[in-house]
Amino acid sequence: MYRAARMAASGDAGEGEFSVFKTTLGALVEAASAPYRGAGRFPWHFARGKLSRDPIFTEIVARGLIPDGARIVDLGCGLGLLASWLAAAQTLWARALWPATWPPPPRLESYHGIERVSRDAERARGIFGASAITCGDIRTSPFGPASVVVIFDVLHYIDSAAQDDVLVRVRNALSPHGGLLLLRVGDAAAGWRFRVTLWVDRVITSIHGRHRQSLHCRPLEAWLARLRALGFYVTPMPMSAGTPFANVLIVARLPAARA
């Protein structure tokens, strides 16, 4: 719930508006994590912790980063937290529990998540349905057509050649009428913040039994150059507020094809 706290600290919101933000974020976290109760204590606690502490979820709805009617392909979707978050946002919007300064949350045309870890994929399938989640490797699984592709903190787990191949496949999967890629990466040129990010990644992979997991990271400028070469217009946004990490969200848009 970092954004409301940041607004209050900076003086950007009055007491009443801060209260609305705080209430909305709290309700969003509770509603979006509720479906995971039936999946066990760990998924529920993980969902609540991740949704309340990771700034990317709040920024997505506060900035209106996903358009209405989106066909989302979520690569490395994990437990499907993004799908649950957006569904919860729709519920709160319908109940008029929504800050006036935020745009309406997007109504999705479709959501398709791909997750390699079978246990996480099965848990997500139990919540969102078998048709919404594929257990597979993003290097080989078909993406299908999409208007929005989401890749959060995933590409550094595959080698550079595979990263480039996935990005080409993303480019080909996106709508010719103007597609959107939301890609969060760690900036390898960010000094001590990147070293902290890398250390946490290694701890997490070790906890999950992947002690020899190789990490393949790039400086932000290298990511931007690669996306520009594929025809994207790119806008980097810092996405680690409230954390010590070097995360950056790259908003990459394809221009609509001319008739």
Side-chain angles (χ1 to χ4, degrees), residues 4-155:
R6 188 178 66 181
M7 290 178 62
S10 65
D12 292 338
E15 182 177 347
E17 188 176 358
F18 170 75
S19 178
V20 171
F21 278 113
K22 185 176 180 180
T23 299
T24 299
L25 292 176
L28 264 173
V29 169
E30 292 304 317
S33 58
Y36 297 94
R37 282 182 176 273
R41 292 186 64 185
F42 172 77
W44 179 60
H45 284 291
F46 175 81
R48 293 183 81 244
K50 181 73 170 174
L51 293 172
S52 62
R53 295 185 180 94
D54 191 332
I56 200 163
F57 294 100
T58 301
E59 292 288 357
I60 282 173
V61 292
R63 294 177 181 265
L65 294 179
I66 295 176
D68 207 40
R71 301 188 309 279
I72 294 180
V73 172
D74 187 356
L75 302 184
C77 67
L79 295 172
L81 293 183
L82 177 62
S84 194
W85 182 256
L86 295 177
Q90 273 294 313
T91 298
L92 266 64
W93 165 259
R95 293 167 53 192
L97 299 174
W98 201 250
T101 54
W102 288 7
R107 295 164 296 180
L108 304 187
E109 180 176 321
S110 63
Y111 172 89
H112 177 212
I114 301 175
E115 173 54 45
R116 184 181 65 85
V117 179
S118 59
R119 183 170 58 178
D120 289 346
E122 286 306 310
R123 284 168 169 165
R125 285 161 69 93
I127 295 170
F128 303 105
S131 62
I133 306 293
T134 295
C135 182
D137 192 321
I138 66 171
R139 293 171 291 188
T140 55
S141 296
F143 298 161
S147 62
V148 179
V149 173
V150 174
I151 315 176
F152 293 159
D153 313 324
V154 170
L155 285 187

